Amino acid sequence: MRKWMLIFGLLIITVLIDEIGTVLFPSINIDKLPSVAVFLVTMVLMFFLFKKMDKTAQELGSLEQKVKNIFDTLDVAIWSHDIKTNTLRITPGIEKLYGYSLEAFYQDFDLWRKVIHPDDVAVLTERLEKISLGEPATSEYRIIRPDGEVRWIQDSGFPTFDEDGSFIDFNSVLFDITNRKESEDRYRSLVEMSPDFVAVINQGNITYINETGAYLLGASGPFELVGLSVEQFAPSDIIDDIRIRENSMVGGKFEVMRFEFQIKRLDGVIIDVEMSAMPILFGGRMVTQVVGRDITDRKKAEKTIQYMAFYDTLTGLPNRNMFKKYLNEVLNQQKKQMAAVLFLDLDRFKFINDTKGHSTGDVVLQRVAKRLQNTVHKEGMVSRQGGDEFIILIENTNKESAAIIAQRILDEFLNPLEVNDQEFFITPSIGISIYPTDGNDEETLIKNADTAMYVAKGHGKNKFQFYDSNLNGNSIQMMEFENGLRKALERDQLILHYQPQIELTTGKIVGIEALLRWHHPELGFISPSEFIPLAEETGLIVPIGKWVLQTACKQNKVWQDAGFQRVPIAVNISVRQLQEDHFVDNVIKVLDQAGLNPKYLELEITESIMQNIEESTIILNQLKYLGVNLSIDDFGTGYSSLSYLRHLPIDKIKIDKSFVDDILYHSTQGVMVKTIIDMGNHLKFSVIAEGIEQKEQVDFLQQNECNIGQGYFFSRPLTVEQMEEYLKKTIRIEVW
Ligand code: C2E
Ligand code: MG
Ligand code: MG
């Protein structure tokens, strides 16, 4: 349109030029020529100009379309209000944001305000204040769409004023920020509900901290902490470290830094925390965000575990591990010095433990530990190896100095220990090995000191003894054997095997004998005949025998509960055990703990009880009164006569294997066996033959009315599992 008006205008100008030309230059004939030329040139120029304008307009049009498309796709609307003319222009995007038609906004200029969520109306006051001052204002509020959906809007408005200060124009850009707000809400609730503490630190001050953090730091709420310097809580080296590491992070590559340290709470209590820190952008500034948790309990547990790994919980002394570690350190020292290892074992401690109970034993050990520590003082390291064994390491010493310390310990123990108003005389026996003469490594030094300790014990206890490689090999072997037996019980090297006792006429199982085995780590299974005498001699039979009784009774109860045939379990008892105080009480306790009826326990005693007949009678009567069965083992090898036995409450006699063996020799033809059976039957004892290996022996015994037998012919002593298989078969036989 404009184009044609211009051409028309130019035509008039051309005509005017013509007319003026004719007036001014009448002499020129070809009067129309210049104006035509001008017209033509102008036309050409105009052609190009319009073409260019068309193109620009087209470009502008498509740019406008593009911008419109962009606005349509974005969740954004522009609100432009010309106050002077009171004309409003809104981009169609508003429909998407508010859910109302564009028309609705034109019809009601106040609609935007009416749909604001009632809870957010207050933000308008502040907004209006700013705008009236000519300042741009950005507000965030919720709106309610016609379908009831609530959306978050960010409204950035900027007013325009003319020179006179009149408000002429107001423009606003509206964004839908619901998604951002929701994720912010999610993040906020995560942070606020987090069991970990979350805080934001800006220039060394707390700008934000969640409830957990406030609680952790001993505050009643975050408000108490905001603004406080972190220096009040965290150690300065940690703060410096964070600062240095943050500054070294370049190119926006932020790494998480992790720390464990101690925090001082507001109430002064120190707690352990584990913390991660990372720089983040917060409110347009780089700040440090920290996340952490209280690890005081974990640290305590770690310390306890570490303590338990290296210290003895009963006495607080370093334990075996710690001792070994320390000894190795000493041995690996550059400057080689002499060192002494003192292996110390308390004499008669087991007696205290057995007679006074473990709790008294424990207190005694604690007192001993203290006394040792006071005596050795700073001259060495005292450790407890376990049980009543202690090892002392003395560094930078020689034989003479070590002897002085050992003697000082012995002297110290001449005074009794007082526990629960009772006095205990406890003496130690000490074995000493010297580095490097008696060994170059920790194991050899301890072993040799241990051996020397046994020599000291063998020499009448309450002594110290240096290790000597020339000591008689055999006696050392014996001592090592005894030493091993001492440890067998605590190291679970003892087990029981079980041998069935059979009723000869029916083949039924009528009893089981428990037989002890020592599974030596180097020597394999050791027969009780080899170690029982040693155990009796050393008194070790008492704790070992107690263990056998407990294990056998418990096992019998397990089998009974499993539904196997109920038979008594026979346990071998040494005379030494019978002579112990409280033997009967102990049997009662064991039966009670196992829940076993006394009629299912049989005690096998050898004829040697006859040597102390009066005392034995009392004990045996007590046992009989309990309901326990009593039998005389290896009958015939001792010096007792059957008539003596009559006075004892005995139920059974066990004919020794040597007589049973005799059955097979024609010369004697089992005369002894026959006599024993006859007399036994006559005296109303039940008679059992042991060590039966052949069918002829069974036949002979049956013919002579011996009703029970035991021996390899029926079964060798069996492990628990084998015995169970045996018992299962027995059940099957019975069922058939
Ligand atoms: P004992 O009480 O007379 O036990 C019988 C021994 O004869 C067992 O030897 C057993 O394995 C073995 N035996 C059984 N049947 C036959 C057979 O047909 N032929 C042969 N050659 N031997 C047979 P073990 O187990 O070596 O026990 C030896 C001794 O050690 C026992 O003799 C008993 O006096 C003692 N003993 C075993 N366990 C204990 C225990 O727990 N406490 C005590 N104080 N002594 C025990
Ligand atoms: Mg026996
Ligand atoms: Mg026997």
Side-chain angles (χ1 to χ4, degrees), residues 329-346:
E329 277 168 24
V330 170
L331 300 185
N332 290 331
Q333 267 169 8
Q334 293 261 303
K335 211 169 112 226
K336 298 285 175 210
Q337 298 165 336
M338 260 188 163
V341 172
L342 275 65
F343 200 110
L344 191 147
D345 185 284
L346 304 179

Side-chain angles (χ1 to χ4, degrees), residues 604 633-634 654 656 690:
E604 290 191 11
D633 203 356
D634 305 339
K654 291 188 85 174
D656 190 67
E690 356 179 31

Side-chain angles (χ1 to χ4, degrees), residues 79-364:
W79 173 287
S80 180
H81 193 171
D82 188 330
I83 309 286
K84 260 190 171 167
T85 57
N86 196 23
T87 41
L88 179 66
R89 287 194 62 188
I90 313 168
T91 56
I94 199 143
E95 294 185 342
K96 220 168 136 195
L97 257 65
Y98 281 73
Y100 287 92
S101 70
L102 193 59
E103 279 309 303
F105 286 95
Y106 283 125
Q107 276 163 17
D108 181 357
F109 283 15
D110 258 354
L111 180 60
W112 69 276
R113 192 198 307 273
K114 289 177 183 165
V115 297
I116 291 179
H117 194 289
D119 290 351
D120 293 348
V121 176
V123 297
L124 294 182
T125 322
E126 195 192 342
R127 175 183 172 80
L128 274 176
E129 252 172 47
K130 275 194 167 173
I131 288 169
S132 57
L133 291 171
E135 288 173 20
T138 297
S139 332
E140 287 174 2
Y141 48 74
R142 282 164 293 174
I143 55 139
I144 303 170
R145 290 159 58 114
D147 58 4
E149 193 188 342
V150 175
R151 309 285 302 174
W152 274 97
I153 299 291
Q154 186 192 65
D155 180 346
S156 300
F158 42 97
T160 318
F161 291 81
D162 64 10
E163 299 96 53
D164 309 331
S166 318
F167 191 8
I168 52 167
D169 195 24
F170 178 74
N171 293 290
S172 173
V173 186
L174 304 154
F175 292 96
D176 186 325
I177 55 162
T178 312
N179 289 345
R180 195 196 86 200
K181 274 287 189 189
E182 279 177 358
S183 71
E184 267 178 24
D185 279 354
R186 263 198 301 274
Y187 174 75
R188 182 175 299 113
S189 60
L190 274 178
V191 166
E192 272 160 19
M193 285 158 48
S194 167
D196 290 339
F197 80 75
V198 180
V200 175
I201 313 296
N202 185 9
Q203 296 188 329
N205 294 323
I206 299 170
T207 22
Y208 169 82
I209 187 154
N210 63 355
E211 286 284 345
T212 312
Y215 174 75
L216 194 91
L217 293 179
S220 48
F223 64 91
E224 241 185 277
L225 298 166
V226 170
L228 294 188
S229 164
V230 283
E231 280 171 17
Q232 191 174 330
F233 305 101
S236 54
D237 55 329
I238 297 286
I239 297 170
D240 292 345
D241 195 10
I242 294 179
R243 217 168 273 154
I244 293 165
R245 283 164 69 178
E246 274 185 352
N247 290 340
S248 68
M249 291 179 197
V250 282
K253 275 195 176 171
F254 299 135
E255 286 166 20
V256 180
M257 301 167 272
R258 293 177 213 284
F259 303 92
E260 278 185 13
F261 56 92
Q262 289 192 315
I263 270 186
K264 194 172 169 197
R265 289 160 46 109
L266 286 182
D267 55 10
V269 174
I270 306 282
I271 56 166
D272 286 289
V273 291
E274 136 190 290
M275 194 192 81
S276 304
M278 199 172 109
I280 57 155
L281 209 57
F282 185 79
R285 284 170 185 279
M286 280 319 289
V287 294
T288 311
Q289 179 162 43
V290 297
V291 179
R293 64 178 62 149
D294 183 352
I295 54 162
T296 313
D297 289 344
R298 197 187 79 194
K299 281 274 168 192
K300 219 184 266 172
E302 277 173 12
K303 272 184 205 148
T304 314
I305 290 166
Q306 214 192 358
Y307 182 84
M308 277 162 63
F310 289 109
Y311 289 88
D312 170 46
T313 35
L314 178 68
T315 60
L317 288 179
N319 66 8
R320 188 194 299 249
N321 291 338
M322 179 72 147
F323 178 81
K324 285 188 174 173
K325 198 170 151 237
Y326 186 56
L327 178 56
N328 274 321
E329 277 168 24
V330 170
L331 300 185
N332 290 331
Q333 267 169 8
Q334 293 261 303
K335 211 169 112 226
K336 298 285 175 210
Q337 298 165 336
M338 260 188 163
V341 172
L342 275 65
F343 200 110
L344 191 147
D345 185 284
L346 304 179
D347 306 325
R348 281 166 39 87
F349 176 73
K350 283 202 169 59
F351 176 76
I352 295 177
N353 231 4
D354 290 340
T355 54
K356 304 287 171 196
H358 283 276
S359 49
T360 307
D362 284 353
V363 181
V364 169

Side-chain angles (χ1 to χ4, degrees), residues 499 513 516-517 528 572 574 633-634 657 690 693 712 717:
Q499 192 176 31
E513 181 175 5
L516 184 59
R517 301 287 177 266
N572 294 286
S574 289
D633 203 356
D634 305 339
K657 182 178 182 298
E690 356 179 31
E693 291 179 349
Y712 295 174

